[in-house]
Amino acid sequence: MASAPSRPRWGILGAGGICNDFATGIVMAGGSISAIGASSLSKAQVLAEKVKAKQAHGSYESLVSDPNVDVVYVGTIHTMHLPHAKLALNAGKHVVCEKPLAVNEEQAREIVELARAKGLFLMEAMWTRFFPLIRKVRELIADGSLGLPRAVQADFGFIGPTDKSHRLMDPAQAGGGMLDIGIYLVQVATMVYGASMPDSMQGTAMLTEEGVDSEGSLSLCWKDKGSASLMYTLRAVTPENSVIMFDRGYIRIEGPAHTPTRITIFRSSGGRGDLTSESLDSPLPKMLPGLSVNYPHSEGMVHQVEAIEKCIQEGKLECPEYPLEESLVIA
């Protein structure tokens, strides 16, 4: 009997907060982190020591040249996703790039086309898709027990930073709410209606003095399918719920809906307002001793890591649960 393919060896490109959380997911999944690469050796060493990576590199070029690295996670700021993803792909490494894949569709397509040309795995790190309850929601959509999906309403908001130099507030760093949190809402709509462009799109935004979108809303419509009303904000606290409405009930993904631990399913028995409800819970994985995360529910990164490793071991070049065409539509 042929032996199973060995687990991929990870390299982490970056050493900031999200890189810590993704690396923690690798450790919790029992994976192997060969190296951390950062803009300075000292930054790389700090994260490498925490997650027990075998090597620290003081440059990104050194990381992607490491022969002990099979797949690179790109966790730098939005504006660096294009050059850093290309750097890793051109070095022959599989790539998992933090969302957004790039700051616009043109850049995202450039990354996708390069990965395809080189025959390498590529995925935008939309970790939401791999939470157990999101997988359950997709099962419910597919089995038709609630009928056809007709409408989506979703929100995501929190009080953002006031420092104008912060990456979220700085247009030079592709700041703003859409690329950082609005993307989560758009992927709910494409998860429901499929990876195709909507037939109509309208949007509004609140802009800062610097021209960054601190709040926005989107109205999307897919002809003969349904609509989506989406709102994100860095100016207010929102429930962070996502609701998918069908012709025989609805599903409420309880906040934080991008990393859910509870969903409630409402089924209609025919009469208006005549509904039964059922809640499903899925606790977060337990954090291992010595590890910590920076963002809420990042313990759930482990689900994404497990899915990616399975895809790579099976020789897939993209992940069926979040394919590249969907990343391009969202971009």
PDB file of all heavy atoms in Angstrom, residues 58-94:
ATOM      1  N   GLY A  58      15.350  36.755   8.342  1.00  0.00           N
ATOM      2  CA  GLY A  58      15.275  38.208   8.444  1.00  0.00           C
ATOM      3  C   GLY A  58      14.845  38.895   7.169  1.00  0.00           C
ATOM      4  O   GLY A  58      14.912  40.118   7.066  1.00  0.00           O
ATOM      5  N   SER A  59      14.386  38.135   6.188  1.00  0.00           N
ATOM      6  CA  SER A  59      13.850  38.728   4.959  1.00  0.00           C
ATOM      7  C   SER A  59      12.830  37.771   4.353  1.00  0.00           C
ATOM      8  O   SER A  59      12.869  36.556   4.588  1.00  0.00           O
ATOM      9  CB  SER A  59      14.960  39.010   3.946  1.00  0.00           C
ATOM     10  OG  SER A  59      15.420  37.815   3.340  1.00  0.00           O
ATOM     11  N   TYR A  60      11.933  38.333   3.561  1.00  0.00           N
ATOM     12  CA  TYR A  60      10.926  37.512   2.898  1.00  0.00           C
ATOM     13  C   TYR A  60      11.559  36.659   1.801  1.00  0.00           C
ATOM     14  O   TYR A  60      11.138  35.522   1.563  1.00  0.00           O
ATOM     15  CB  TYR A  60       9.831  38.401   2.314  1.00  0.00           C
ATOM     16  CG  TYR A  60       9.178  39.303   3.340  1.00  0.00           C
ATOM     17  CD1 TYR A  60       9.056  40.676   3.130  1.00  0.00           C
ATOM     18  CD2 TYR A  60       8.674  38.784   4.538  1.00  0.00           C
ATOM     19  CE1 TYR A  60       8.455  41.503   4.067  1.00  0.00           C
ATOM     20  CE2 TYR A  60       8.078  39.597   5.484  1.00  0.00           C
ATOM     21  CZ  TYR A  60       7.970  40.970   5.242  1.00  0.00           C
ATOM     22  OH  TYR A  60       7.385  41.778   6.182  1.00  0.00           O
ATOM     23  N   GLU A  61      12.562  37.217   1.146  1.00  0.00           N
ATOM     24  CA  GLU A  61      13.260  36.474   0.094  1.00  0.00           C
ATOM     25  C   GLU A  61      13.920  35.212   0.647  1.00  0.00           C
ATOM     26  O   GLU A  61      13.895  34.147   0.019  1.00  0.00           O
ATOM     27  CB  GLU A  61      14.299  37.364  -0.582  1.00  0.00           C
ATOM     28  CG  GLU A  61      13.736  38.517  -1.390  1.00  0.00           C
ATOM     29  CD  GLU A  61      13.268  39.689  -0.540  1.00  0.00           C
ATOM     30  OE1 GLU A  61      13.549  39.703   0.688  1.00  0.00           O
ATOM     31  OE2 GLU A  61      12.624  40.599  -1.095  1.00  0.00           O
ATOM     32  N   SER A  62      14.498  35.331   1.830  1.00  0.00           N
ATOM     33  CA  SER A  62      15.131  34.184   2.461  1.00  0.00           C
ATOM     34  C   SER A  62      14.104  33.118   2.824  1.00  0.00           C
ATOM     35  O   SER A  62      14.343  31.916   2.667  1.00  0.00           O
ATOM     36  CB  SER A  62      15.895  34.634   3.708  1.00  0.00           C
ATOM     37  OG  SER A  62      16.527  33.546   4.350  1.00  0.00           O
ATOM     38  N   LEU A  63      12.936  33.556   3.279  1.00  0.00           N
ATOM     39  CA  LEU A  63      11.888  32.597   3.638  1.00  0.00           C
ATOM     40  C   LEU A  63      11.455  31.771   2.430  1.00  0.00           C
ATOM     41  O   LEU A  63      11.391  30.540   2.499  1.00  0.00           O
ATOM     42  CB  LEU A  63      10.671  33.327   4.212  1.00  0.00           C
ATOM     43  CG  LEU A  63       9.456  32.416   4.457  1.00  0.00           C
ATOM     44  CD1 LEU A  63       9.637  31.584   5.704  1.00  0.00           C
ATOM     45  CD2 LEU A  63       8.164  33.213   4.511  1.00  0.00           C
ATOM     46  N   VAL A  64      11.139  32.445   1.310  1.00  0.00           N
ATOM     47  CA  VAL A  64      10.608  31.699   0.160  1.00  0.00           C
ATOM     48  C   VAL A  64      11.686  30.850  -0.509  1.00  0.00           C
ATOM     49  O   VAL A  64      11.362  29.937  -1.280  1.00  0.00           O
ATOM     50  CB  VAL A  64       9.943  32.641  -0.872  1.00  0.00           C
ATOM     51  CG1 VAL A  64       8.814  33.425  -0.220  1.00  0.00           C
ATOM     52  CG2 VAL A  64      10.951  33.569  -1.520  1.00  0.00           C
ATOM     53  N   SER A  65      12.947  31.119  -0.195  1.00  0.00           N
ATOM     54  CA  SER A  65      14.044  30.310  -0.737  1.00  0.00           C
ATOM     55  C   SER A  65      14.365  29.110   0.135  1.00  0.00           C
ATOM     56  O   SER A  65      15.185  28.269  -0.248  1.00  0.00           O
ATOM     57  CB  SER A  65      15.306  31.175  -0.900  1.00  0.00           C
ATOM     58  OG  SER A  65      15.077  32.239  -1.804  1.00  0.00           O
ATOM     59  N   ASP A  66      13.740  29.023   1.288  1.00  0.00           N
ATOM     60  CA  ASP A  66      14.020  27.935   2.237  1.00  0.00           C
ATOM     61  C   ASP A  66      13.559  26.604   1.634  1.00  0.00           C
ATOM     62  O   ASP A  66      12.366  26.420   1.356  1.00  0.00           O
ATOM     63  CB  ASP A  66      13.285  28.206   3.550  1.00  0.00           C
ATOM     64  CG  ASP A  66      13.713  27.285   4.673  1.00  0.00           C
ATOM     65  OD1 ASP A  66      14.013  26.108   4.395  1.00  0.00           O
ATOM     66  OD2 ASP A  66      13.730  27.732   5.838  1.00  0.00           O
ATOM     67  N   PRO A  67      14.452  25.645   1.446  1.00  0.00           N
ATOM     68  CA  PRO A  67      14.068  24.366   0.838  1.00  0.00           C
ATOM     69  C   PRO A  67      13.169  23.518   1.725  1.00  0.00           C
ATOM     70  O   PRO A  67      12.568  22.543   1.252  1.00  0.00           O
ATOM     71  CB  PRO A  67      15.414  23.674   0.593  1.00  0.00           C
ATOM     72  CG  PRO A  67      16.343  24.282   1.600  1.00  0.00           C
ATOM     73  CD  PRO A  67      15.901  25.706   1.745  1.00  0.00           C
ATOM     74  N   ASN A  68      13.061  23.872   2.993  1.00  0.00           N
ATOM     75  CA  ASN A  68      12.216  23.115   3.918  1.00  0.00           C
ATOM     76  C   ASN A  68      10.791  23.663   4.006  1.00  0.00           C
ATOM     77  O   ASN A  68      10.011  23.227   4.853  1.00  0.00           O
ATOM     78  CB  ASN A  68      12.848  23.107   5.309  1.00  0.00           C
ATOM     79  CG  ASN A  68      14.171  22.368   5.320  1.00  0.00           C
ATOM     80  OD1 ASN A  68      14.264  21.245   4.820  1.00  0.00           O
ATOM     81  ND2 ASN A  68      15.205  22.988   5.865  1.00  0.00           N
ATOM     82  N   VAL A  69      10.471  24.630   3.150  1.00  0.00           N
ATOM     83  CA  VAL A  69       9.129  25.220   3.116  1.00  0.00           C
ATOM     84  C   VAL A  69       8.409  24.769   1.855  1.00  0.00           C
ATOM     85  O   VAL A  69       8.934  24.902   0.748  1.00  0.00           O
ATOM     86  CB  VAL A  69       9.202  26.764   3.155  1.00  0.00           C
ATOM     87  CG1 VAL A  69       7.838  27.383   2.858  1.00  0.00           C
ATOM     88  CG2 VAL A  69       9.713  27.241   4.513  1.00  0.00           C
ATOM     89  N   ASP A  70       7.201  24.219   2.025  1.00  0.00           N
ATOM     90  CA  ASP A  70       6.380  23.787   0.893  1.00  0.00           C
ATOM     91  C   ASP A  70       5.287  24.791   0.558  1.00  0.00           C
ATOM     92  O   ASP A  70       4.930  24.979  -0.607  1.00  0.00           O
ATOM     93  CB  ASP A  70       5.704  22.445   1.204  1.00  0.00           C
ATOM     94  CG  ASP A  70       6.703  21.353   1.523  1.00  0.00           C
ATOM     95  OD1 ASP A  70       7.664  21.188   0.755  1.00  0.00           O
ATOM     96  OD2 ASP A  70       6.524  20.671   2.556  1.00  0.00           O
ATOM     97  N   VAL A  71       4.706  25.388   1.593  1.00  0.00           N
ATOM     98  CA  VAL A  71       3.580  26.298   1.403  1.00  0.00           C
ATOM     99  C   VAL A  71       3.805  27.544   2.259  1.00  0.00           C
ATOM    100  O   VAL A  71       4.222  27.449   3.414  1.00  0.00           O
ATOM    101  CB  VAL A  71       2.234  25.620   1.748  1.00  0.00           C
ATOM    102  CG1 VAL A  71       2.256  24.994   3.137  1.00  0.00           C
ATOM    103  CG2 VAL A  71       1.065  26.589   1.618  1.00  0.00           C
ATOM    104  N   VAL A  72       3.543  28.712   1.664  1.00  0.00           N
ATOM    105  CA  VAL A  72       3.767  29.988   2.342  1.00  0.00           C
ATOM    106  C   VAL A  72       2.430  30.643   2.654  1.00  0.00           C
ATOM    107  O   VAL A  72       1.563  30.773   1.772  1.00  0.00           O
ATOM    108  CB  VAL A  72       4.618  30.931   1.466  1.00  0.00           C
ATOM    109  CG1 VAL A  72       4.652  32.339   2.065  1.00  0.00           C
ATOM    110  CG2 VAL A  72       6.033  30.382   1.326  1.00  0.00           C
ATOM    111  N   TYR A  73       2.257  31.042   3.905  1.00  0.00           N
ATOM    112  CA  TYR A  73       1.120  31.864   4.302  1.00  0.00           C
ATOM    113  C   TYR A  73       1.562  33.314   4.255  1.00  0.00           C
ATOM    114  O   TYR A  73       2.533  33.700   4.909  1.00  0.00           O
ATOM    115  CB  TYR A  73       0.650  31.505   5.718  1.00  0.00           C
ATOM    116  CG  TYR A  73      -0.314  32.519   6.296  1.00  0.00           C
ATOM    117  CD1 TYR A  73      -1.647  32.554   5.886  1.00  0.00           C
ATOM    118  CD2 TYR A  73       0.114  33.447   7.238  1.00  0.00           C
ATOM    119  CE1 TYR A  73      -2.518  33.496   6.405  1.00  0.00           C
ATOM    120  CE2 TYR A  73      -0.758  34.391   7.764  1.00  0.00           C
ATOM    121  CZ  TYR A  73      -2.074  34.413   7.346  1.00  0.00           C
ATOM    122  OH  TYR A  73      -2.944  35.345   7.864  1.00  0.00           O
ATOM    123  N   VAL A  74       0.862  34.139   3.459  1.00  0.00           N
ATOM    124  CA  VAL A  74       1.166  35.565   3.336  1.00  0.00           C
ATOM    125  C   VAL A  74       0.239  36.331   4.259  1.00  0.00           C
ATOM    126  O   VAL A  74      -0.981  36.364   4.049  1.00  0.00           O
ATOM    127  CB  VAL A  74       0.999  36.045   1.881  1.00  0.00           C
ATOM    128  CG1 VAL A  74       1.209  37.551   1.789  1.00  0.00           C
ATOM    129  CG2 VAL A  74       1.968  35.312   0.962  1.00  0.00           C
ATOM    130  N   GLY A  75       0.816  36.957   5.276  1.00  0.00           N
ATOM    131  CA  GLY A  75       0.004  37.663   6.265  1.00  0.00           C
ATOM    132  C   GLY A  75       0.416  39.106   6.463  1.00  0.00           C
ATOM    133  O   GLY A  75       0.217  39.666   7.536  1.00  0.00           O
ATOM    134  N   THR A  76       0.967  39.719   5.420  1.00  0.00           N
ATOM    135  CA  THR A  76       1.375  41.122   5.485  1.00  0.00           C
ATOM    136  C   THR A  76       0.173  42.023   5.183  1.00  0.00           C
ATOM    137  O   THR A  76      -0.939  41.541   4.950  1.00  0.00           O
ATOM    138  CB  THR A  76       2.525  41.380   4.503  1.00  0.00           C
ATOM    139  OG1 THR A  76       2.202  40.788   3.228  1.00  0.00           O
ATOM    140  CG2 THR A  76       3.815  40.755   5.008  1.00  0.00           C
ATOM    141  N   ILE A  77       0.389  43.346   5.156  1.00  0.00           N
ATOM    142  CA  ILE A  77      -0.734  44.263   4.930  1.00  0.00           C
ATOM    143  C   ILE A  77      -1.269  44.122   3.509  1.00  0.00           C
ATOM    144  O   ILE A  77      -0.586  43.624   2.615  1.00  0.00           O
ATOM    145  CB  ILE A  77      -0.340  45.723   5.225  1.00  0.00           C
ATOM    146  CG1 ILE A  77       0.768  46.204   4.275  1.00  0.00           C
ATOM    147  CG2 ILE A  77       0.092  45.883   6.678  1.00  0.00           C
ATOM    148  CD1 ILE A  77       1.050  47.699   4.386  1.00  0.00           C
ATOM    149  N   HIS A  78      -2.492  44.589   3.302  1.00  0.00           N
ATOM    150  CA  HIS A  78      -3.200  44.386   2.041  1.00  0.00           C
ATOM    151  C   HIS A  78      -2.363  44.753   0.816  1.00  0.00           C
ATOM    152  O   HIS A  78      -2.352  44.026  -0.185  1.00  0.00           O
ATOM    153  CB  HIS A  78      -4.483  45.230   2.006  1.00  0.00           C
ATOM    154  CG  HIS A  78      -5.458  44.933   3.100  1.00  0.00           C
ATOM    155  ND1 HIS A  78      -5.442  43.761   3.835  1.00  0.00           N
ATOM    156  CD2 HIS A  78      -6.498  45.665   3.584  1.00  0.00           C
ATOM    157  CE1 HIS A  78      -6.431  43.792   4.710  1.00  0.00           C
ATOM    158  NE2 HIS A  78      -7.082  44.930   4.580  1.00  0.00           N
ATOM    159  N   THR A  79      -1.704  45.895   0.868  1.00  0.00           N
ATOM    160  CA  THR A  79      -0.988  46.394  -0.303  1.00  0.00           C
ATOM    161  C   THR A  79       0.213  45.540  -0.673  1.00  0.00           C
ATOM    162  O   THR A  79       0.728  45.655  -1.790  1.00  0.00           O
ATOM    163  CB  THR A  79      -0.502  47.835  -0.058  1.00  0.00           C
ATOM    164  OG1 THR A  79       0.171  47.901   1.205  1.00  0.00           O
ATOM    165  CG2 THR A  79      -1.673  48.804  -0.049  1.00  0.00           C
ATOM    166  N   MET A  80       0.643  44.669   0.224  1.00  0.00           N
ATOM    167  CA  MET A  80       1.806  43.817  -0.053  1.00  0.00           C
ATOM    168  C   MET A  80       1.409  42.403  -0.461  1.00  0.00           C
ATOM    169  O   MET A  80       2.283  41.585  -0.741  1.00  0.00           O
ATOM    170  CB  MET A  80       2.729  43.768   1.171  1.00  0.00           C
ATOM    171  CG  MET A  80       3.316  45.125   1.563  1.00  0.00           C
ATOM    172  SD  MET A  80       4.133  45.951   0.170  1.00  0.00           S
ATOM    173  CE  MET A  80       5.501  44.828  -0.145  1.00  0.00           C
ATOM    174  N   HIS A  81       0.125  42.118  -0.522  1.00  0.00           N
ATOM    175  CA  HIS A  81      -0.297  40.763  -0.880  1.00  0.00           C
ATOM    176  C   HIS A  81       0.140  40.396  -2.294  1.00  0.00           C
ATOM    177  O   HIS A  81       0.607  39.276  -2.526  1.00  0.00           O
ATOM    178  CB  HIS A  81      -1.809  40.611  -0.728  1.00  0.00           C
ATOM    179  CG  HIS A  81      -2.266  40.574   0.689  1.00  0.00           C
ATOM    180  ND1 HIS A  81      -3.584  40.423   1.059  1.00  0.00           N
ATOM    181  CD2 HIS A  81      -1.570  40.665   1.860  1.00  0.00           C
ATOM    182  CE1 HIS A  81      -3.685  40.425   2.371  1.00  0.00           C
ATOM    183  NE2 HIS A  81      -2.471  40.583   2.885  1.00  0.00           N
ATOM    184  N   LEU A  82      -0.007  41.306  -3.237  1.00  0.00           N
ATOM    185  CA  LEU A  82       0.403  41.011  -4.608  1.00  0.00           C
ATOM    186  C   LEU A  82       1.894  40.700  -4.708  1.00  0.00           C
ATOM    187  O   LEU A  82       2.263  39.615  -5.186  1.00  0.00           O
ATOM    188  CB  LEU A  82       0.021  42.157  -5.544  1.00  0.00           C
ATOM    189  CG  LEU A  82       0.529  42.031  -6.993  1.00  0.00           C
ATOM    190  CD1 LEU A  82      -0.103  40.842  -7.691  1.00  0.00           C
ATOM    191  CD2 LEU A  82       0.268  43.326  -7.756  1.00  0.00           C
ATOM    192  N   PRO A  83       2.792  41.598  -4.282  1.00  0.00           N
ATOM    193  CA  PRO A  83       4.212  41.270  -4.433  1.00  0.00           C
ATOM    194  C   PRO A  83       4.659  40.074  -3.614  1.00  0.00           C
ATOM    195  O   PRO A  83       5.506  39.290  -4.065  1.00  0.00           O
ATOM    196  CB  PRO A  83       4.926  42.556  -3.988  1.00  0.00           C
ATOM    197  CG  PRO A  83       3.938  43.306  -3.177  1.00  0.00           C
ATOM    198  CD  PRO A  83       2.603  42.972  -3.751  1.00  0.00           C
ATOM    199  N   HIS A  84       4.098  39.894  -2.434  1.00  0.00           N
ATOM    200  CA  HIS A  84       4.544  38.783  -1.592  1.00  0.00           C
ATOM    201  C   HIS A  84       3.997  37.439  -2.072  1.00  0.00           C
ATOM    202  O   HIS A  84       4.700  36.414  -2.002  1.00  0.00           O
ATOM    203  CB  HIS A  84       4.174  39.047  -0.136  1.00  0.00           C
ATOM    204  CG  HIS A  84       5.001  40.117   0.502  1.00  0.00           C
ATOM    205  ND1 HIS A  84       4.620  40.807   1.633  1.00  0.00           N
ATOM    206  CD2 HIS A  84       6.220  40.629   0.144  1.00  0.00           C
ATOM    207  CE1 HIS A  84       5.548  41.691   1.951  1.00  0.00           C
ATOM    208  NE2 HIS A  84       6.520  41.599   1.061  1.00  0.00           N
ATOM    209  N   ALA A  85       2.767  37.422  -2.565  1.00  0.00           N
ATOM    210  CA  ALA A  85       2.235  36.181  -3.137  1.00  0.00           C
ATOM    211  C   ALA A  85       3.027  35.790  -4.383  1.00  0.00           C
ATOM    212  O   ALA A  85       3.373  34.620  -4.580  1.00  0.00           O
ATOM    213  CB  ALA A  85       0.756  36.340  -3.471  1.00  0.00           C
ATOM    214  N   LYS A  86       3.327  36.778  -5.213  1.00  0.00           N
ATOM    215  CA  LYS A  86       4.117  36.501  -6.418  1.00  0.00           C
ATOM    216  C   LYS A  86       5.524  36.025  -6.054  1.00  0.00           C
ATOM    217  O   LYS A  86       6.069  35.123  -6.699  1.00  0.00           O
ATOM    218  CB  LYS A  86       4.193  37.751  -7.290  1.00  0.00           C
ATOM    219  CG  LYS A  86       2.892  38.099  -7.984  1.00  0.00           C
ATOM    220  CD  LYS A  86       2.985  39.418  -8.741  1.00  0.00           C
ATOM    221  CE  LYS A  86       3.996  39.358  -9.861  1.00  0.00           C
ATOM    222  NZ  LYS A  86       4.049  40.628 -10.624  1.00  0.00           N
ATOM    223  N   LEU A  87       6.104  36.609  -5.025  1.00  0.00           N
ATOM    224  CA  LEU A  87       7.443  36.210  -4.572  1.00  0.00           C
ATOM    225  C   LEU A  87       7.462  34.723  -4.219  1.00  0.00           C
ATOM    226  O   LEU A  87       8.364  33.979  -4.633  1.00  0.00           O
ATOM    227  CB  LEU A  87       7.846  37.048  -3.354  1.00  0.00           C
ATOM    228  CG  LEU A  87       9.251  36.834  -2.789  1.00  0.00           C
ATOM    229  CD1 LEU A  87      10.308  37.415  -3.731  1.00  0.00           C
ATOM    230  CD2 LEU A  87       9.359  37.489  -1.404  1.00  0.00           C
ATOM    231  N   ALA A  88       6.452  34.294  -3.478  1.00  0.00           N
ATOM    232  CA  ALA A  88       6.397  32.890  -3.057  1.00  0.00           C
ATOM    233  C   ALA A  88       6.087  31.964  -4.228  1.00  0.00           C
ATOM    234  O   ALA A  88       6.696  30.894  -4.370  1.00  0.00           O
ATOM    235  CB  ALA A  88       5.353  32.726  -1.950  1.00  0.00           C
ATOM    236  N   LEU A  89       5.151  32.352  -5.067  1.00  0.00           N
ATOM    237  CA  LEU A  89       4.797  31.512  -6.218  1.00  0.00           C
ATOM    238  C   LEU A  89       5.976  31.364  -7.179  1.00  0.00           C
ATOM    239  O   LEU A  89       6.257  30.275  -7.692  1.00  0.00           O
ATOM    240  CB  LEU A  89       3.592  32.096  -6.954  1.00  0.00           C
ATOM    241  CG  LEU A  89       2.248  32.002  -6.223  1.00  0.00           C
ATOM    242  CD1 LEU A  89       1.209  32.888  -6.905  1.00  0.00           C
ATOM    243  CD2 LEU A  89       1.757  30.555  -6.159  1.00  0.00           C
ATOM    244  N   ASN A  90       6.682  32.454  -7.401  1.00  0.00           N
ATOM    245  CA  ASN A  90       7.840  32.403  -8.302  1.00  0.00           C
ATOM    246  C   ASN A  90       8.981  31.576  -7.719  1.00  0.00           C
ATOM    247  O   ASN A  90       9.867  31.120  -8.455  1.00  0.00           O
ATOM    248  CB  ASN A  90       8.319  33.821  -8.633  1.00  0.00           C
ATOM    249  CG  ASN A  90       7.459  34.486  -9.691  1.00  0.00           C
ATOM    250  OD1 ASN A  90       7.029  33.841 -10.643  1.00  0.00           O
ATOM    251  ND2 ASN A  90       7.202  35.774  -9.537  1.00  0.00           N
ATOM    252  N   ALA A  91       8.948  31.369  -6.403  1.00  0.00           N
ATOM    253  CA  ALA A  91       9.935  30.505  -5.754  1.00  0.00           C
ATOM    254  C   ALA A  91       9.471  29.049  -5.729  1.00  0.00           C
ATOM    255  O   ALA A  91      10.146  28.184  -5.156  1.00  0.00           O
ATOM    256  CB  ALA A  91      10.211  30.995  -4.333  1.00  0.00           C
ATOM    257  N   GLY A  92       8.302  28.780  -6.338  1.00  0.00           N
ATOM    258  CA  GLY A  92       7.810  27.409  -6.414  1.00  0.00           C
ATOM    259  C   GLY A  92       7.052  26.943  -5.193  1.00  0.00           C
ATOM    260  O   GLY A  92       6.886  25.730  -4.994  1.00  0.00           O
ATOM    261  N   LYS A  93       6.542  27.877  -4.390  1.00  0.00           N
ATOM    262  CA  LYS A  93       5.821  27.502  -3.178  1.00  0.00           C
ATOM    263  C   LYS A  93       4.311  27.631  -3.379  1.00  0.00           C
ATOM    264  O   LYS A  93       3.834  28.542  -4.064  1.00  0.00           O
ATOM    265  CB  LYS A  93       6.231  28.408  -2.008  1.00  0.00           C
ATOM    266  CG  LYS A  93       7.732  28.550  -1.793  1.00  0.00           C
ATOM    267  CD  LYS A  93       8.427  27.236  -1.473  1.00  0.00           C
ATOM    268  CE  LYS A  93       9.911  27.484  -1.150  1.00  0.00           C
ATOM    269  NZ  LYS A  93      10.651  26.231  -0.937  1.00  0.00           N
ATOM    270  N   HIS A  94       3.563  26.715  -2.783  1.00  0.00           N
ATOM    271  CA  HIS A  94       2.124  26.901  -2.676  1.00  0.00           C
ATOM    272  C   HIS A  94       1.870  28.135  -1.810  1.00  0.00           C
ATOM    273  O   HIS A  94       2.697  28.489  -0.949  1.00  0.00           O
ATOM    274  CB  HIS A  94       1.466  25.687  -2.026  1.00  0.00           C
ATOM    275  CG  HIS A  94       1.716  24.392  -2.748  1.00  0.00           C
ATOM    276  ND1 HIS A  94       1.332  24.167  -4.045  1.00  0.00           N
ATOM    277  CD2 HIS A  94       2.320  23.242  -2.328  1.00  0.00           C
ATOM    278  CE1 HIS A  94       1.671  22.947  -4.407  1.00  0.00           C
ATOM    279  NE2 HIS A  94       2.275  22.364  -3.387  1.00  0.00           N
TER     280      HIS A  94
END
